[in-house]
Amino acid sequence: MSTCDPAGCGRQLTVGEVAQRSGVAVSAIHFYEDKGLISSQRNAGNQRRYTRDVLRRVAVIKVAQRVGISLASIQQALAALPAGRAPNAADWAQLSRRWQAELDEKIATLSKLRDQLGDCIGCGCLSVENCRLRNPYDALGAQGAGARLL
């Protein structure tokens, strides 16, 4: 027995319907499409039409963004999934494992920055020469002041 009426089965969604059903602005739907996160087809009137699987993809995008995953990483992950079908539980498990490592790295970086912030407040210098927060990539600074590479 079918769970949808014959008029709705296989019918593609307009951008407004995707926005309404996903809780995302139309401009965000266009942005996601421009970034290659979702795709649409054009009808005879050159209007965008979306398959229903895009609703699940938008949900994945929103959850990933909420936990701090970059759009580039989201795009790369979604590109690895089969086109034309909604991400399923196995897909989500794969994506979440991948993103967990990325989030662990971000947490470690933020923890290190938080711990260094106390040092910065203590000295108050914010100088390019001495501040680990202002100039974090100064690998030669430990060798003393002045030019080191000649």
Side-chain angles (χ1 to χ4, degrees), residues 37-149:
L37 300 168
I38 61 174
S39 62
S40 68
Q41 299 82 36
R42 298 286 182 151
N43 67 8
N46 202 30
Q47 298 169 325
R48 291 181 170 110
R49 292 293 184 257
Y50 299 87
T51 55
R52 292 182 183 279
D53 65 280
V54 80
L55 294 171
R56 179 68 58 89
R57 288 178 184 268
V58 170
V60 167
I61 294 164
K62 293 308 295 176
V63 168
Q65 284 183 305
R66 183 174 181 150
V67 299
I69 304 299
S70 69
L71 284 178
S73 183
I74 296 168
Q75 193 279 332
Q76 188 177 37
L78 290 177
L81 298 179
R85 75 160 171 80
N88 58 29
D91 296 329
W92 179 251
Q94 176 187 2
L95 295 176
S96 63
R97 276 192 306 272
R98 175 182 180 167
W99 290 333
Q100 188 170 17
E102 187 175 326
L103 289 173
D104 287 344
E105 187 176 314
K106 283 184 178 186
I107 290 168
T109 300
L110 287 171
S111 294
K112 184 177 176 182
L113 287 172
R114 179 203 58 217
D115 295 344
Q116 291 175 347
L117 191 58
D119 294 341
C120 188
I121 291 171
C123 79
C125 71
L126 296 177
S127 73
V128 173
E129 293 82 20
N130 300 320
C131 186
R132 290 183 296 176
L133 291 176
R134 176 86 165 85
N135 191 13
Y137 303 110
D138 186 9
L140 299 176
Q143 297 178 14
R148 296 286 166 215
L149 298 177

Side-chain angles (χ1 to χ4, degrees), residues 5-29:
D5 63 84
C9 289
R11 185 179 72 79
Q12 294 185 328
L13 304 170
T14 66
V15 68
E17 289 170 326
V18 171
Q20 182 180 26
R21 291 183 64 177
S22 66
V24 174
V26 169
S27 59
I29 301 299

